[in-house]
Amino acid sequence: MAATSPSLAAEKKHWWLSNRKVVEKNIREARALIATREQTNVSTAVGLLDAALALSPRLEAALELRASALLFLRRFREVADMLQDYIPSYKIGGGGSGGVLEGSTASLSGGDQAFTASSAPLSRERANLLSPGRERSDGDRSVRCFSVSDLKRRLLAGLSKSSDREGEWRYLALGRACSHLGMMEDAMVLLQTGRRLASAASRRESVCWSDDSFASFAGEEGGGATEPEYSASQLLSHIKLILRRRTAAVAALDAGLPAEAVRHFSKVLDSRRGLPGSFAAGCLIGRAAAHRATGRLADAIADCNRALAVDPSSIPALRARADLFEAVRALPDCLHDLEHLKLLYDGILRDRKLPGPPWRPHHDVRYRDISANLRALIARIQQLRGRIAAGEGNNVDYYALIGVRQGCTRAELERAHLLLTLKHKPEKAAGFMDRLEFADDHRDLDAILDQARMSASILYRMLQKGYSGIMAAVMRKEAEEKQRAKEAATNAATAAAIQVATTENQRAEKNVGGIECGTAAAAASAAAAAVFQSVFCRDMAVVGSMLTHRSIPVKLEALSC
């Protein structure tokens, strides 16, 4: 027994030394493959690092190289899964309680320490950035869990150089991953912490670096596999800008200024740099609420369609689109969305957790509210089925959908239809999806584009059908107005003719009276002339008789009348 004990110890020692050599060899080969910056080589390096971590799970060098390689391969979900204990919202929301995350909307005031919450206030003391203290395999103590204020106090007091460099890569790698996953608040906190650590390290080294020089650490420590397009400082500035604009949009919507909210949300969504799909979905839901407040229901439905194309399991987007369909009385479409929402609720209750990974934030959704929401949803579905059975399913309010008033003119309808047609073409929906960034490896980009085109085509057909129906009503109204104008003109012409005929009759009566007066005068003058003639003839007869008595020959024929 005494002879076998040293041999067993030597065998164990030899096994440990061989494992350490294997780990070191894998790390060297992985570092060389990552330096080539080729997709296949980096994928091979990830496999080597996985083998090394299987032998030494706590090895910092292997973990750091693996995080850098996954960032290069754009496998951000795996980075978040690997470092999920360091996500601030995951630690605060209770990641272990069935995946129930209390999301928060962060607002920026321009400084590094501006991190406030509007929906679920997060205390700085509770923002645990690192996991609880634990011992590594080599016996050295890792960085313990501490809050943001504790971090600041320790940095001012002066942390050791090894501790800063040890935990710094986690902040940079996880901050980049969170920014691509749409968790902008967490990414901002992590990157700001990385900048503070880099600044503290540079001050201790007496190197004259700026505050934004912390981007170089990621390239040096990560083996050159970081994203070349922008540094960590530029990424942090971009995150601050879009969060500031989103906060302004939410504030404008809460203040009753929906047009201002639409403007700010549009600035965020039309950003030159690609937005993560999940973050864009939240902004689309907010802009849909602003559009509905302004009465532009077609724009609101289009935003909900895009949000659901990005995230088909988005409960807020489904609820918002169902409410919009009910507002325009498109009851079959509303019923379809509510049934889809019911399936999601049933799945959540079956799995006893919200969909997605446990670190994924779910804004405005809580697991404890699902049962009550499901009961209310079932009652609403039954009510809608009754309304559809009563014949209300095909009575869509196209005036509200297009955004024109009852009795609008042809010019108003054509202008509103032209704007909506140019804005909501199916090709434009696909173009918007091309500008977004999708970090979920399990989703196919072609499927997302197909769903976006299909939903946009359905809305486009609804707009065309509404335009045809309203235009027919406008044409009927115009024809009725023309008919009424024609009848009015006919009545006016008839009245004018009657007036002319009346005037002519009056004139004719006057003329008849004049003719009768002339006849009477002529008869009177003729009677007077006959009297004069008889008197003249009598006088002439007297003169003739007198001349005859005086023996003057006179012809009596000449004296006759």
Side-chain angles (χ1 to χ4, degrees):
M1 295 296 294
T4 58
S5 297
S7 63
L8 291 174
E11 184 178 358
K12 289 182 180 179
K13 184 177 180 181
H14 178 72
W15 170 78
W16 169 251
L17 290 176
S18 63
N19 283 349
R20 186 175 66 182
K21 288 181 180 180
V22 170
V23 170
E24 292 176 353
K25 178 184 177 182
N26 288 345
I27 291 177
R28 286 196 304 269
E29 292 178 357
R31 198 182 299 275
L33 290 173
I34 290 173
T36 61
R37 303 183 67 82
E38 294 183 1
Q39 190 99 11
T40 56
N41 292 340
V42 177
S43 300
T44 306
V46 171
L48 294 174
L49 292 172
D50 290 339
L53 288 172
L55 298 175
S56 181
R58 305 286 185 178
L59 189 59
E60 286 289 318
L63 290 172
E64 185 177 355
L65 282 175
R66 187 174 187 272
S68 300
L70 292 176
L71 287 176
F72 181 82
L73 295 174
R74 305 185 67 81
R75 291 156 64 174
F76 306 112
R77 289 172 57 92
E78 297 184 22
V79 177
D81 290 334
M82 184 177 68
L83 302 173
Q84 64 181 357
D85 291 336
Y86 299 82
I87 299 176
S89 62
Y90 175 74
K91 296 297 294 181
I92 296 167
S97 60
V100 181
L101 303 179
E102 304 293 339
S104 63
T105 303
S107 61
L108 291 174
S109 61
D112 293 341
Q113 301 176 358
F115 178 66
T116 59
S118 61
S119 60
L122 304 180
S123 173
R124 285 173 180 262
E125 295 295 331
R126 297 178 59 196
N128 298 327
L129 299 181
L130 297 180
S131 62
R134 54 193 179 188
E135 301 295 329
R136 297 191 306 172
S137 60
D138 55 0
D140 296 335
R141 186 168 58 86
S142 178
V143 181
R144 292 184 293 105
C145 174
F146 48 86
S147 63
V148 175
S149 60
D150 190 16
L151 172 63
K152 183 179 179 181
R153 184 169 58 254
R154 288 169 182 259
L155 286 178
L156 293 177
L159 291 173
S160 64
K161 179 180 177 180
S162 61
S163 296
D164 288 341
R165 290 297 181 86
E166 181 181 339
E168 182 181 344
W169 69 268
R170 288 180 170 86
Y171 294 106
L172 297 177
L174 188 57
R176 287 180 180 273
C178 288
S179 68
H180 290 283
L181 291 171
M183 304 164 62
M184 295 300 180
E185 296 89 351
D186 297 324
M188 184 188 66
V189 173
L190 293 167
L191 293 175
Q192 283 177 344
T193 306
R195 179 165 69 176
R196 294 189 189 100
L197 291 173
S199 301
S202 65
R203 285 195 298 270
R204 277 190 299 274
E205 292 176 358
S206 300
V207 179
C208 184
W209 290 348
S210 64
D211 290 340
D212 292 338
S213 62
F214 74 103
S216 62
F217 287 93
E220 294 172 1
E221 301 295 334
T226 55
E227 296 170 301
E229 55 267 20
Y230 18 69
S231 64
S233 61
Q234 293 173 343
L235 180 61
L236 179 58
S237 300
H238 175 62
I239 291 172
K240 286 182 177 181
L241 177 61
I242 61 176
L243 284 179
R244 188 180 298 114
R245 285 176 173 172
R246 190 188 68 174
T247 304
V250 174
L253 187 59
D254 294 339
L257 301 173
E260 191 72 11
V262 168
R263 186 174 68 86
H264 286 296
F265 277 125
S266 299
K267 283 185 177 180
V268 175
L269 293 170
D270 296 337
S271 177
R272 294 182 179 179
R273 292 179 179 176
L275 284 178
S278 58
F279 183 80
C283 293
L284 286 168
I285 296 172
R287 193 171 71 172
H291 279 313
R292 183 176 183 180
T294 58
R296 299 161 64 178
L297 300 185
D299 296 337
I301 293 174
D303 285 340
C304 290
N305 289 339
R306 293 177 179 179
L308 288 171
V310 174
D311 186 7
S313 62
S314 176
I315 293 176
L318 278 173
R319 288 188 302 199
R321 193 172 70 172
D323 294 339
L324 289 168
F325 280 139
E326 189 174 6
V328 298
R329 296 201 296 269
L331 300 185
D333 297 325
C334 177
L335 182 61
H336 180 269
D337 286 344
L338 293 181
E339 289 176 348
H340 187 188
L341 189 60
K342 182 178 178 296
L343 292 177
L344 289 178
Y345 284 162
D346 292 336
I348 292 171
L349 294 177
R350 181 184 64 249
D351 300 336
R352 295 186 178 181
K353 71 180 187 69
L354 295 175
W359 44 261
R360 175 186 175 184
H362 294 272
H363 301 288
D364 301 329
V365 179
R366 296 178 178 86
Y367 179 79
R368 61 177 177 267
D369 299 333
I370 297 298
S371 298
N373 293 339
L374 180 59
R375 289 193 295 270
L377 181 63
I378 292 174
R380 186 179 176 185
I381 289 174
Q382 292 177 354
Q383 181 183 4
L384 279 177
R385 287 176 177 171
R387 293 176 61 184
I388 293 174
E392 298 182 20
N394 298 323
N395 191 16
V396 181
D397 187 4
Y398 291 112
Y399 289 95
L401 179 65
I402 298 179
V404 294
R405 59 181 177 82
Q406 292 275 354
C408 63
T409 62
R410 182 191 291 263
E412 293 174 350
L413 176 61
E414 290 178 349
R415 182 177 180 277
H417 175 259
L418 178 61
L419 292 177
L420 292 176
T421 301
L422 294 176
K423 188 183 297 184
H424 300 303
K425 286 184 177 180
E427 294 79 10
K428 288 203 170 185
F432 176 78
M433 294 299 163
D434 289 335
R435 298 200 307 269
L436 298 182
E437 178 184 358
F438 300 98
D440 295 340
D441 298 333
H442 64 280
R443 294 206 63 197
D444 187 11
L445 181 59
D446 294 335
I448 295 174
L449 294 177
D450 291 340
Q451 184 175 355
R453 291 193 190 96
M454 181 180 65
S455 57
S457 299
I458 293 173
L459 177 60
Y460 189 79
R461 287 196 294 269
M462 287 180 64
L463 293 174
Q464 298 301 324
K465 185 177 180 180
Y467 172 74
S468 301
I470 298 176
M471 180 57 73
V474 170
M475 293 178 65
R476 286 195 301 270
K477 181 180 176 182
E478 291 180 351
E480 291 175 358
E481 290 179 353
K482 288 181 179 179
Q483 183 66 26
R484 285 196 297 268
K486 185 177 179 180
E487 291 177 357
T490 303
N491 294 334
T494 304
I498 292 172
Q499 185 66 25
V500 170
T502 304
T503 305
E504 291 180 353
N505 291 334
Q506 292 177 356
R507 290 181 179 178
E509 290 177 356
K510 292 181 179 179
N511 292 335
V512 169
I515 293 171
E516 291 178 352
C517 294
T519 306
S525 60
V531 171
F532 292 151
Q533 184 177 5
S534 61
V535 171
F536 178 75
C537 292
R538 185 190 61 189
D539 293 340
M540 288 301 295
V542 171
V543 171
S545 65
M546 292 175 62
L547 293 175
T548 303
H549 291 296
R550 296 267 182 112
S551 301
I552 297 174
V554 180
K555 292 183 178 180
L556 295 176
E557 294 81 3
L559 296 177
S560 64
C561 296

